[in-house]
Amino acid sequence: MAAGVSEAFGAIDWSAPWLAPWCGLGQPLAQQLLQDDPSVHQALQTAAPKGAPVVFVPQSALSEGTAYEQYIWDTRRVPTRDNLHDFFNGLVWLQFPHTKRRLNQLQAQAIATHGVQAVRGPLRDALTLFDENGAVLQAPEPIWQALRARNWQALFVDLRPLWNEARLLLFGHALLEKLVSPRKPMVAHVCQAPCAINLAAHLDAWLAQDIDTQRWAGKPFAPLPVLGVPGWWPANGDAAFYADPLVFRPPRRGDGG
């Protein structure tokens, strides 16, 4: 890889709390990229289990003018560049194959029906938003009530001890890429997982089944500034961290439903 690309992979802090669910899979692959210098698609393919729904191929496999999502659906091949964005996308494919395949299926169906247009439309827009910046939160109901209402004081200060009962998993590969260089305004678009499921063991199957076209077209996500999550950023131990209206924005009319 080029020197700048290698530096990007070397900059990943695998001790970051948001990377905890990805460390076991991602850190060895990042080390392989740094030490052995394969292409990203080659490194990802070495980690793919037998019978995986897709294979990783170089970006050059995607012909000019061919829709990316349609190509993946038709060929079961994921064009992959040598960068962090596609590296994290590959990790998500490896860890959540059913969910990624479901997202890809719906994208390809929309493209087949409507073609590639300047505006994606409500469903494709929601699918892309979650694919790039989504997260799944399993938490007690008071946390969800405060999050939907954008009551940041209640969410992060008053209910802070309750976060010990919550689990947040970042799904969006663009968000994971951006958090290699964390900044306070970074936001995840969060969907709710029921507390009854074992999130570690069954998240992929549950999430793939949860993606309902009609409901998701309405973007049933809650915006969550991820560095505000208790324990995820040292500065948020001070309640003043949340007194930043440019990041922790007050609710708008209609929020909280």
Side-chain angles (χ1 to χ4, degrees):
M1 291 186 293
V5 178
S6 295
E7 290 171 6
F9 283 91
I12 302 173
D13 178 8
W14 290 102
S15 69
W18 50 85
L19 287 180
W22 302 100
C23 184
L25 176 64
Q27 189 171 20
L29 289 180
Q31 284 300 117
Q32 182 184 345
L33 287 162
L34 288 168
Q35 294 172 0
D36 301 335
D37 199 30
S39 297
V40 171
H41 80 273
Q42 293 172 323
L44 291 168
Q45 194 56 40
T46 64
K50 185 177 180 180
V54 295
V55 298
F56 300 96
V57 297
Q59 180 69 18
S60 58
L62 182 64
S63 302
E64 185 176 352
T66 302
Y68 172 80
E69 297 285 358
Q70 190 69 57
Y71 176 84
I72 295 174
W73 181 253
D74 290 342
T75 67
R76 293 179 176 261
R77 304 167 85 204
V78 179
T80 305
R81 300 164 294 182
D82 289 328
N83 60 27
L84 286 175
H85 188 89
D86 286 11
F87 171 73
F88 282 115
N89 183 50
L91 291 187
V92 181
W93 266 108
L94 290 173
Q95 197 147 320
F96 296 98
H98 295 97
T99 302
K100 288 288 283 187
R101 189 67 174 158
R102 176 63 171 157
L103 291 169
N104 180 234
Q105 175 192 26
L106 294 175
Q107 291 274 17
Q109 287 177 351
I111 291 170
T113 301
H114 304 291
V116 178
Q117 301 178 0
V119 178
R120 289 191 182 98
L123 178 59
R124 284 198 67 206
D125 192 37
L127 297 171
T128 301
L129 179 66
F130 188 79
D131 193 29
E132 297 278 349
N133 292 288
V136 178
L137 176 62
Q138 189 179 51
E141 187 57 29
I143 285 180
W144 269 102
Q145 291 173 358
L147 176 58
R148 292 191 186 102
R150 303 193 191 186
N151 185 340
W152 310 116
Q153 170 71 29
L155 179 65
F156 292 126
V157 180
D158 302 342
L159 297 174
R160 199 172 187 84
L162 204 56
W163 278 91
N164 292 325
E165 302 176 28
R167 181 174 179 188
L168 176 66
L169 186 142
L170 304 189
F171 180 93
H173 56 279
L175 180 59
L176 290 167
E177 176 198 11
K178 289 183 286 189
L179 280 165
V180 172
S181 300
R183 292 186 300 107
K184 190 175 181 179
M186 292 177 178
V187 171
H189 294 270
V190 181
C191 71
Q192 182 175 11
C195 291
I197 70 167
N198 183 323
L199 207 58
H202 304 297
L203 175 59
D204 186 30
W206 171 81
L207 188 55
Q209 293 177 353
D210 186 66
I211 302 173
D212 173 83
T213 55
Q214 185 173 354
R215 186 168 59 85
W216 273 52
K219 294 190 180 73
F221 316 128
L224 175 66
V226 292
L227 294 188
V229 174
W232 276 33
W233 197 243
N236 76 31
D238 183 346
F241 180 84
Y242 302 105
D244 182 348
L246 296 179
V247 176
F248 301 97
R249 299 178 180 178
R252 299 168 301 185
R253 182 174 297 179
D255 286 340

